[in-house]
Amino acid sequence: MDSKTPIENLYSIEPALSSSSRRSNFSSKSKSLGGNSIREVNFVDLGPKPVKYGSRGAESETYSMSQREINDEDARLVQINDPVKTNERFEFAGNSIRTGKYSILTFLPRNLFEQFHRVAYVYFLVIAVLNQLPQLAVFGRFASILPLAFVLLVTAVKDAYEDYRRHRADNIENNRPASVLVNHEFQQKKWKDIQVGEIIKIHANETIPCDMVLLSTCDPTGVAYVQTINLDGESNLKTRYAKQETLLKIPEKENVSGVIKCEKPNRNIYGFQANMEVDGKRVSLGPSNIILRGCELKNTTWAVGVAVYAGRETKAMLNNSGAPSKRSRLETHMNLEIIFLSLFLTALCTVVSVCAAVWLRRHRDELDYLPFYRRKDFSEDEEENYNYYGWGLEILFTFLMSVIVFQIMIPISLYISMELVRVGQAYFMIRDTQMYDEASNSRFQCRALNINEDLGQIKYIFSDKTGTLTENKMEFQCASIWGVDYNGGKVSSQDQKDGYFVQVDGKVLRPKMVVKTDPELLQFARSGKETKEGSHIHDFFLALAACNTIVPLIVDTPDPTLKLIDYQGESPDEQALVYAAAAYGFMLIERTSGHIVIDIQGERQRFNVLGLHEFDSDRKRMSVILGLPNKSVKAFVKGADTTMFSVIDRSSNTSIIRATEAHLHSYSSIGLRTLVIGMRELSTSEFEEWHSAFEVASTALMGRASLLRKVASNVESNLCILGASGIEDKLQGGVPEAIESLRTAGIKVWVLTGDKQETAISIGYSSKLLTNKMTQIIVNNNSKESCRKSLEDAIIMSKKLTTMSGTTNDTGRTLGAASLTPVALIIDGTSLVYILDSELEERLFELASNCSVVLCCRVAPLQKAGIVALVKKRTSDMTLAIGDGANDVSMIQMADVGVGISGQEGRQAVMASDFAMGQFRFLVTLLLVHGHWNYQRMGYMILYNFYRNAVFVLVLFWYVLFTCFTLTTAINEWSSVLYSVIYTSVPTIVVGILDKDLSRRTLLKYPQLYGAGHREECYNKTLFWITMIDTVWQSAVVFYIPLLAYWRSTIDASSIGDLWTLAVVILVNLHLAMDVIRWNWITHAAIWGSIIATFICVIIIDAVPTLVGYWAIFHIARTGLFWLCLLAIIVTALIPRFVVKVLYQFYTPCDVQIAREAEKFQAEIQSAAVEVEMNPILDHPRP
Amino acid sequence: MSSNTPSSSAGGVGSADSAAPRRNSKRPKYSKFTQQELPACKPILTPRWVISAFMLVSIVFIPIGVVSLFASRDVVEIVDRYETACVPDNFRNDKVSFIQNETTNKICTRNLTVPKRMKQPIYVYYQLDNFYQNHRRYVKSRSDSQLKDNSSWDDVSSCKPEDNANGMPIVPCGLIAWSLFNDTYNFSLNNQQLAVNKRGISWKSDRDSKFGSDVFPRNFQNGLLIGGKRLDPNVSLSEQEDLIVWMRTAALPTFRKLYGKIERDLQPNEVIQVTLENNYNTYSFNGKKRLVLSTTSWLGGKNDFLGIAYLTVGGLCFFLALSFTIVYLVKPRRLGDPSYLSWNRNPGGH
């Protein structure tokens, strides 16, 4: 045997094992190779289902998927090794992929089509088209299209570049080689040429080219390990199985043929359902028989499979969709103000057209000969009206023209700026070193790009517990076996430091993780199963080692004499249990679909796995049927206590059951996760009965899942209790502090967990969610009526508590938090069943809003979403859900902001989330620091953009009043086009990305500052209207100072237009400069650079001889009047804003303002801060 | 609060040692830029700052206001409104027919008394009121390419309704050129001709680059309706300075255009006799016509507005500075005092 690959290393150790285990091992190998009939029966459709255990919910999803049976219409038929026949109807996609959206020909139309999905662009387009009508041509043809063209071009170039990269990636992907069976020989073929039905051979560490059903692998039992990191990001190995029927066929030598009937392509990567007919036998296939495109084959020398889905129909490609899109709260508010602005725009246009109509009416007799109107055209033979369409149309045209001229009243550029700003903000959030998680080597991720500012207004946080508040690194703590509690573990001897190990041939094989052990229990475990305790302990640890889906991997270490066993599995609880079993001398060495090898106290033993009932969320338990070396058959069951006690035989051993229950209670009250382990010995008849039922169920075509469940519940009955285990789920670092900060910030934290009430409460205490001062209200009922009653009582009680504290509050003048008796609500899933979606919801909400803490335990994934919806529906407050597992997906999607923890439990939560990060405590930085900044920046930016565009429009409007309402613009058309593109766009974006109202330190020191977002301090209606009033004043100053200064002078339109342009640009940039809080060099460059750029642009425009304004700027800039006007405009326009700002900041300072001052004058303040912090301590004992 | 110390949780026994040999750490590189910690200046509006800002504005503005007011006062301006006075009494009720009648005598004599000493150069303007040279139809009705270049003499597409006359393109085309002002003024002092220099009244840049020296008027004012002045077809456009001045359309409906310069000083109480030809029709739109003689200052013509504006703003700022000082003295607030923070201010908690 060569020992190049790890999997073979595993075998290479075997000869050195103790003789008995070697014998059994070899005998089993010969059996399986020889196709022993009994074993074959045992193997038929056994356990090729990966079993997940834990409180997570993905499995239930998978489960329901596999329940679906395939109809003929919904099925695809794949002829194994016959691609010609398979593809004769051309209905299946080939394996070449095209993730690129466009080809050279389709790029332009498709890209444009996609871009015009934005309403803003359509508005742009309509205006540009209107402008092309000769009657309405306000701007020159080119100038009117330029802004739209610019935006479209930028986006198109970006899209084209991305698409080019995708094409290149596709090309590389499509041309990768794979060995495909052609004429009984594996030949190299390019990926793109692979067809459905072909047989493909994959070697170790190769990427799988398409979704394939496994036929055989190098492993005699048909196991293959794949890494799905590219697919779902989970780095642990997944076990996949080839079916027994195909396992022994060698495609090169014999003709493999058969038909696979499988589902239509779908995007569920955890589900697959199919039947395979091989050699006249019908075999069912599940998700564990398929290996998916994008996965890598690991620890398996080779695997052969048949392609069933190829190219774009593979699950990986079907899942290639972007992040969910949400719209930010600020943007929703903003849309309302945009409606105001469009009303305002309509009003302006109406004013202009009505005035124009009145003017035309009053001069109707003179129009023909007015030198500046000249309605009559005498150049033709007959006198005609020139460019005059009668009353109605003239008014209409005036209206439309004014819309064109005033178009930027609706700040189109705002949408683009907002996107840029969000990208910039995301860049800084991702780069924040304080949100980098060392342990998982993961940065912060921004998956949704349009809700950055919502992070500053979060009012409710719904948090999952396991993996979110806790590390989800389970550690076996204690066990109760046969009624005896073993939870010593305090003594640390030399022996314990290294843990248990097996010595083989001078080499040491040791579990990768060291578990602390109870010396007494260890002693018993070593004593063998002769004593009564010993045998129970033996069975208990055997159950721990066997009843799971863990795959042991042997890892080399730098020390050649030492090898580590790494237990790979999908459930951390199971991992902990297996490591614990190993520590007590029950080391799981090998697992295949048919057997497991466990090293029991140095003796290698082999157990046949006769059947496995996977975990599901209804039963909440799993079981494995083992054929023991002594030919007896035992069923080992482990599961949650609620469901386990109902299937335990209560007639015997009542004292043990009672003792175990007591231990369970004490375990869960110190925050441990508990599991109950039971066992049942099956007699031959019972086994036969079960076996035939299992056989029937697992080959059933209809309702297989429910049949299997029935079989499982039949065998999982009358159990003999073995004991219970307590696993500690450690709190993540910084969680208590984080929760305290968030609560101080005025955010309500709700914890929704699948754990038991006692566990939840104890975690609540350790995470400082609950404190001793709180009054707990526990709602825990079994019927709707009792729910109603306890809710009503609870409401009365909570009211009493809060009003009572209210009175002490008035008299006692103590700090609020100290005197208020905070109420904590603890409610469980069963009660929620009756409350959610009924009229009781309202009551619950009323109660919950009186409580400062809400803890929901035993909740199902959908209930989590239901609770989020409960709050979301009734308040306008922002909600955030944070979780790490598949069971949090629905909650994450329901909440306004979903945060995924990229932790232990797979990536589904991350995939569904808007933001993802490594640790719960980063939430503090995310919300209090980045959320606050983003909200403040975005709020200011929106207001500023409204102002900036409106001020320009109003300047144009004032001028229209002096031109017979004919929409002449003194400002050069190019300048009006460039106004929002070049003159004023960069500073607002830079400020939107870089400005900080407060430093990170201050924000973390005073979490209360987060309240600015709750109170909508940066963007609200009042601010909008104040800004608009200021806008009117500023525009009037800009317009009327030059008007009065140049009245009755020789000034020409272009020169005064240049003055207005420069005045507006300098004014809006200085307005921004006045509000900038932190000036770094980039801000300086942007603001002063924009002003300089404007001067340069105006000069360039005025240097074009064909334009009317040729050389105007040089003439006017030579006069002192020009500069004096400019100075007067800027100072006069900004005075009211400055005065209001000063008064506001000085006499009604907001918290942010005070904190900012404190930051600046830190030294003097520090002494004062100490005093204030002393206050609560001094005040406390007074009442 | 230590919740943000960079120490990450030890992260369990298992992953700690697996994380150690990881080569490609994704830890973001630290830089002041990415951590948003660029050195920055954080100005805060402290009372001292605010008061000094207001004082500074008033110190700058009041002198400027005074200087500009004096400059404006120094300008001597003679304005004579003549459009009604120059219509004979019998035509007063129907001024339009007077002006349109080719046979009536349009000559009119006005006497202007110099109020103060006027130093040369004295600019002669005509001022029109209520004439919308910025009307959209009007400003668009010109062809810049035709004015510049002889070769595009037939580019009249933008000149409607004055593009062609008798089937031929007009040079210069368009309403602006067509409505060229055509009143003329002759000045005499003590029966001696007062020379008016009409050279150099337009922008040099216009003469050099905007109006071609090889472009000559053609087919101009040959239509049915005569708008204004006729041009000498033998003089190139770049030398038709009245046209060039007129073509630089005014921004506002009341405007002045430079007519010429008198290059000698005028003494107080001298009487200038103006013989003017009242040709231009402003009667159809109630337009007013004025003749203006004015000196200039560094600030331009006579306009008190800017001086008053500067004085007002300067005074206002001075007043604001004073009142802020008083207010700050009466009701001070220690900046950055945490006891003002909302959660410290009302201990009730809300």
Side-chain angles (χ1 to χ4, degrees), chain A residues 166-404:
Chain A
R166 256 181 257 143
H167 273 293
R168 260 203 355 205
D170 287 355
N171 220 0
I172 294 169
E173 189 96 347
N174 282 334
N175 288 317
R176 286 166 79 159
S179 32
V180 178
L181 188 72
V182 182
N183 301 327
H184 301 286
E185 210 180 338
F186 279 109
Q187 292 180 351
Q188 291 289 310
K189 236 181 173 184
K190 286 180 177 169
W191 276 26
K192 62 178 171 191
D193 300 323
I194 293 173
Q195 283 179 307
V196 172
E198 284 181 324
I199 289 180
I200 300 159
K201 188 171 190 175
I202 317 280
H203 298 276
N205 299 326
E206 277 184 359
T207 310
I208 293 153
C210 56
D211 295 358
M212 323 192 304
V213 166
L214 273 179
L215 294 178
S216 58
T217 71
C218 65
D219 178 71
T221 53
V223 177
Y225 298 96
V226 289
Q227 194 174 41
T228 54
I229 196 156
N230 289 334
L231 204 58
D232 59 5
E234 294 181 33
S235 61
N236 53 18
L237 295 188
K238 304 249 162 58
T239 334
R240 295 290 181 261
Y241 307 87
K243 281 286 171 187
Q244 206 62 34
E245 283 75 7
T246 55
L247 196 54
L248 303 171
K249 295 191 195 280
I250 302 154
E252 290 101 317
K253 295 197 183 128
E254 53 186 311
N255 215 353
V256 183
S257 65
V259 184
I260 295 175
K261 185 174 162 191
C262 56
E263 313 166 282
K264 283 263 151 66
N266 61 54
R267 59 196 309 182
N268 181 3
I269 55 173
Y270 302 102
F272 174 69
Q273 206 182 5
N275 296 309
M276 175 163 64
E277 266 188 53
V278 174
D279 303 337
K281 260 189 276 178
R282 195 150 189 205
V283 195
S284 69
L285 301 169
S288 60
N289 304 117
I290 186 166
I291 50 178
L292 303 178
R293 182 188 178 116
C295 299
E296 267 180 56
L297 195 68
K298 294 278 185 193
N299 290 339
T300 313
T301 322
W302 54 264
V304 169
V306 55
V308 285
Y309 305 123
R312 62 184 153 81
E313 290 174 341
T314 55
K315 290 180 188 286
M317 300 309 292
L318 289 171
N319 270 293
N320 251 348
S321 62
S325 79
K326 288 177 181 172
R327 182 177 266 191
S328 86
R329 161 75 45 100
L330 213 54
E331 212 177 318
T332 324
H333 278 274
M334 189 183 93
N335 285 342
L336 189 70
E337 267 82 59
I338 295 242
I339 293 173
F340 280 130
L341 284 181
S342 29
L343 289 180
F344 192 43
L345 173 67
T346 321
L348 286 189
C349 298
T350 315
V351 167
V352 170
S353 43
V354 166
C355 290
V358 170
W359 190 87
L360 283 176
R361 185 87 192 144
R362 280 178 53 192
H363 295 84
R364 62 183 179 278
D365 302 329
E366 303 149 19
L367 289 179
D368 288 355
Y369 301 104
L370 269 185
F372 49 86
Y373 198 94
R374 261 294 293 281
R375 185 165 62 187
K376 285 266 186 309
D377 183 357
F378 300 99
S379 57
E380 308 296 324
D381 289 339
E382 55 212 279
E383 293 180 14
E384 272 181 347
N385 281 349
Y386 154 69
N387 216 350
Y388 182 85
Y389 308 93
W391 259 95
L393 275 181
E394 280 300 304
I395 294 168
L396 178 70
F397 286 159
T398 312
F399 187 86
L400 290 177
M401 275 159 80
S402 46
V403 174
I404 296 173

Side-chain angles (χ1 to χ4, degrees), chain B residues 290-309:
Chain B
R290 286 184 174 90
L291 171 64
V292 180
L293 275 74
S294 169
T295 58
T296 68
S297 66
W298 60 274
L299 203 57
K302 194 175 187 64
N303 192 337
D304 291 349
F305 169 77
L306 208 64
I308 295 167

